[in-house]
Amino acid sequence: MSARTRRLTTAQALVRFLSAQYTERDGVRRRLIAGTWGIFGHGNVAGLGQALVEHADVMPFHQGRNEQSMVHAAVGHARQLNRLSAQAVTTSIGPGATNLVTGAALATINRLPVLLLPGDYFASHAADPLLQQLEHPVEADVSVNDTLRPVSRYFDRITRPEALIPSALNAMRVLADPAETGAVTLALPQDVQAEAYDWPEEFFAERVWHVRRPAPDPVELAAAVEAVRSAERPLVIAGGGVHHSEAEQALQAFVDATGIPVASTQAGKGSLRHDHPADLGGIGHTGTAVSDDLARTADLVIGVGTRYTDFTTASGTLFQHPDVRFLNLNITGFDAHKLAARTLVCDARTGLDLLREALSGHRVREEYVAEYRAGKDRWNEVVEAAYRAADDSAVPTQTQVLGALDAIVGDDDVVINAAGSLPGDLHKLWRSRSPRQYHLEYGYSCMGYEIPAAIGVQQAAPGTPVWALVGDGTYLMMPTEIVTAVQEGLPLNVVLIQNHGYASIGGLSQETGGERFGTAYRFRAADGTFTGAPLPVDLAANAASLGMDVLRAKTVHELREALAAARASGRPTCVYVETDPAPTAPPAEAWWDVPVAETASREAAVEARERYERQVADRRHHL
């Protein structure tokens, strides 16, 4: 071996390379790949498994129980650290690899970095077909890992050791680029993993990937200034890009200077503290009354780091001012151009600062400020009513669970949720006190995300109280990573809400003519119908069997005590509460398009279609 090469297997070289990668933004440096999650099988145990043992001094390893969950944990870690640090996930071939697809889609849709390292078939085809290999009749180079192509921002199959060098560099480039990031997949044939090669020493040198803060084009900035100055009723929509850019202070300075109010998407909530006079809370289908009322009359909508999903736009029905125009500040041109907007393609913090400076002295009318502040006060009364329990000895409602948690958490606690009825309640009602407190995965709305994501957040922020809020439906999807939390000694808190079925989809089913079919956890009778008796399932006992401490709460008073005890505990703790199923959250303030059967014989569906046709008539295409 010469002085300028090092003989290692491909897997060993990859681990050494990943351990030397860093990001840097604003003078702060972080490990780009902070650790590796893994479940081993014949596709990676002798390659990456051996390499992780060999180089355990430079690459932390975390043992997972489900491949999808490992990706969720890595995504939670990346989001907590503003996309400046990621984790890798390695699996065997076969079902281990295909189980990555959901997590990869979630990461890419939410613009969050994760490195996927699934095993693959023999590149040499020496053993062909091997166990778990997909045989394609006309494309012999296809494997199950090709299912990851459409959900990855970068994909490569490493069929020769030397091919790893350019591919690994491209993978790091994409992970570290805020305009490109998402899931990155390097499929690793198992024979190539174990093959030795003389690697150039430069491949293992410490490498720092600078995370850019691009400034807007001067022509675009001048047009944006003119648009803001001429608007009578401007409204900012804060998206996840505000958090990823750490632009919260820049947004507050912009708002304080101009008086323009802020509504937030699920990903952007917490961009301003809930008690800031200009913070109006969530927007869209799950938004607050004050946000949605202002959105309907806004003549300029300033989107900062948002993708404008249908929940935000109320499926194209929310922005109803006849002359409404859009100004989108986004680091990706793809998102900036949505809704035929004027664009500021730039970093959120940089763009907000320059826009504020260029608008020096400009403020909206005081009558407009007074209007939205009065609306905010009215909504605060709605929140208080939803949180308040008239009888502390009563069974709590779901919104009262949130009220009890709101009274317990500190400013830096992190609350995690993803799917079901809780996201809507949280978006309307939760009072965010810090930029990282509100952690909702709603780009993919993936049931089962919460518990593994809480593990990733806990790893990224040791000592921070972390709460995974899960309903019974979500819990049954993916509770297995509780074992990982116990194994790693992570004191996360799970608030497990039992309401005996899919509450959110049950309500949607009723609204759209489905009559809540197939959404409750009930016994099936001989005639195929479901009886009223709930299943005798004890989810609290299940959590205890997986190693958690479990606190059962039957009343509002017991719930408050249990939440306080969980927060003070140094152990993984589950607070289990069965809620009153009566809905207590405020109704939706804006529509959401779920198409209803155009023809049907059942009365519920016919009535739902009539409602649908009235709502869809308000849709606009903004051109």
Side-chain angles (χ1 to χ4, degrees):
M1 184 177 70
S2 73
R4 294 194 57 77
T5 63
R6 189 186 311 185
R7 192 161 182 81
L8 298 170
T9 69
T10 303
Q12 292 164 357
L14 177 58
V15 172
R16 296 298 305 190
F17 169 83
L18 293 177
S19 70
Q21 307 303 303
Y22 294 84
T23 62
E24 181 276 325
R25 186 170 71 182
D26 303 331
V28 178
R29 180 182 295 193
R30 293 186 182 274
R31 276 276 295 263
L32 177 51
I33 305 299
T36 298
W37 286 91
I39 296 176
F40 294 114
H42 70 94
N44 64 344
V45 66
L48 271 171
Q50 189 281 329
L52 288 164
V53 173
E54 184 115 342
H55 302 291
D57 58 323
V58 296
M59 180 57 68
F61 175 74
H62 311 291
Q63 183 181 19
R65 269 75 198 173
N66 176 283
E67 292 85 0
Q68 179 181 319
S69 288
M70 293 193 297
V71 185
H72 293 339
V75 167
H77 169 97
R79 176 167 169 172
Q80 181 68 20
L81 296 177
N82 300 316
R83 305 193 297 194
L84 298 174
S85 180
Q87 292 177 320
V89 178
T90 179
T91 72
S92 183
I93 70 173
T98 52
N99 279 351
L100 295 173
V101 175
T102 296
L106 181 148
T108 296
I109 287 170
N110 285 285
R111 315 314 203 242
L112 292 166
V114 61
L115 176 62
L116 307 180
L117 304 172
D120 216 322
Y121 58 64
F122 282 42
S124 65
H125 291 274
D128 187 57
L130 66 153
L131 177 65
Q132 298 178 322
Q133 180 177 340
L134 172 72
E135 294 182 271
H136 195 285
V138 296
E139 295 180 87
D141 61 342
V142 168
S143 81
V144 297
N145 286 326
D146 288 273
T147 60
L148 289 160
R149 288 182 184 270
V151 291
S152 296
R153 294 293 291 170
Y154 179 81
F155 179 99
D156 196 10
R157 179 174 287 113
I158 310 302
T159 57
R160 291 293 307 142
E162 58 268 32
L164 178 65
I165 296 175
S167 188
L169 291 169
N170 272 321
M172 298 303 104
R173 172 187 60 80
V174 173
L175 288 172
D177 187 339
E180 293 291 330
T181 198
V184 167
T185 300
L186 298 181
L188 301 171
Q190 54 188 302
D191 54 344
V192 177
Q193 290 182 48
E195 187 174 345
Y197 181 74
D198 293 328
W199 302 88
E201 282 289 348
E202 292 85 353
F203 186 55
F204 308 113
E206 186 176 289
R207 191 179 302 269
V208 179
W209 299 86
H210 178 68
V211 180
R212 305 178 186 90
R213 288 196 180 277
D217 178 86
V219 173
E220 287 192 340
L221 181 60
V225 169
E226 176 57 30
V228 176
R229 286 189 180 278
S230 61
E232 293 290 324
R233 300 179 64 82
L235 173 68
V236 169
I237 298 180
V242 175
H243 293 311
H244 299 328
S245 176
E246 299 176 284
E248 297 89 358
Q249 292 184 6
L251 177 63
Q252 180 172 334
F254 175 81
V255 168
D256 290 344
T258 63
I260 299 174
V262 176
S264 55
T265 68
Q266 286 279 17
K269 193 172 170 74
S271 295
L272 291 181
R273 269 187 63 103
H274 75 93
D275 52 3
H276 189 284
D279 179 67
L280 307 183
I283 190 169
H285 177 62
T286 54
T288 68
V290 58
S291 288
D292 288 350
D293 285 347
L294 258 67
R296 292 184 182 95
T297 60
D299 57 356
L300 179 68
V301 178
I302 306 170
V304 183
T306 178
R307 298 188 301 123
Y308 286 110
T309 69
D310 60 343
F311 257 59
T312 298
T313 67
S315 300
T317 65
L318 186 58
F319 307 110
Q320 289 296 326
H321 190 288
D323 299 318
V324 64
R325 290 294 180 265
F326 297 84
L327 169 63
N328 292 339
L329 192 161
N330 205 292
I331 201 163
T332 70
F334 178 82
D335 289 320
H337 281 87
K338 289 177 178 176
L339 301 177
R342 295 180 175 87
T343 60
L344 282 177
V345 181
C346 60
D347 169 74
R349 193 176 82 180
T350 301
L352 284 168
D353 282 342
L354 291 175
L355 186 59
R356 172 178 53 81
E357 292 169 6
L359 286 166
S360 178
H362 174 75
R363 281 188 63 84
V364 297
R365 294 178 298 106
E366 286 305 314
E367 294 87 349
Y368 185 48
V369 174
E371 176 188 344
Y372 70 68
R373 287 186 177 180
K376 177 181 174 69
D377 289 342
R378 289 192 298 272
W379 188 257
N380 283 337
E381 294 175 2
V382 173
V383 174
E384 287 294 337
Y387 279 1
R388 189 182 307 117
D391 182 0
D392 280 4
S393 65
V395 173
T397 64
Q398 183 164 283
T399 58
Q400 289 165 1
V401 171
L402 299 184
L405 185 61
D406 174 78
I408 293 298
V409 299
D411 284 7
D412 295 325
D413 290 35
V414 179
V415 176
I416 301 174
N417 188 239
S421 57
L422 275 166
D425 293 356
L426 286 160
H427 199 206
K428 293 186 188 85
L429 304 174
W430 188 257
R431 300 188 279 211
S432 299
R433 307 173 194 182
S434 63
R436 297 260 61 88
Q437 182 173 83
Y438 188 87
H439 184 128
L440 260 285
E441 188 290 298
Y442 217 59
Y444 209 41
S445 186
C446 187
M447 296 178 73
Y449 171 82
E450 295 91 343
I451 293 173
I455 292 172
V457 170
Q458 197 85 78
Q459 290 174 330
T464 298
V466 179
W467 303 85
L469 308 188
V470 297
D472 51 335
T474 288
Y475 181 85
L476 286 168
M477 289 278 183
M478 203 166 292
T480 51
E481 238 54 46
I482 286 174
V483 178
T484 303
V486 173
Q487 181 180 33
E488 300 232 349
L490 299 173
L492 61 90
N493 301 303
V494 173
V495 180
L496 176 50
I497 300 173
Q498 172 65 276
N499 56 19
H500 301 289
Y502 301 115
S504 174
I505 295 302
L508 182 62
S509 173
Q510 184 172 357
E511 176 67 21
T512 57
E515 303 177 50
R516 293 186 178 265
F517 178 76
T519 63
Y521 294 150
R522 306 285 177 178
F523 281 104
R524 180 185 287 273
D527 63 358
T529 61
F530 292 89
T531 70
L535 299 176
V537 176
D538 191 340
L539 300 184
N542 178 261
S545 76
L546 296 177
M548 293 200 97
D549 293 344
V550 175
L551 304 172
R552 296 176 185 258
K554 295 182 178 180
T555 67
V556 173
H557 175 72
E558 290 177 2
L559 175 62
R560 292 197 192 104
E561 290 190 334
L563 292 172
R567 190 173 187 273
S569 173
R571 287 257 310 149
T573 303
C574 173
V575 176
Y576 174 85
V577 57
E578 189 161 352
T579 56
D580 182 338
T584 53
E589 297 290 339
W591 186 59
W592 181 43
D593 188 352
V594 177
V596 176
E598 192 169 0
T599 180
S601 59
R602 296 181 68 84
E603 183 179 352
V606 173
E607 292 177 353
R609 181 67 192 190
E610 292 172 354
R611 291 193 300 271
Y612 178 82
E613 290 177 352
R614 289 195 297 270
Q615 295 282 2
V616 77
D618 290 333
R619 175 176 285 142
R620 292 180 61 184
H621 293 286
H622 298 284
L623 301 172

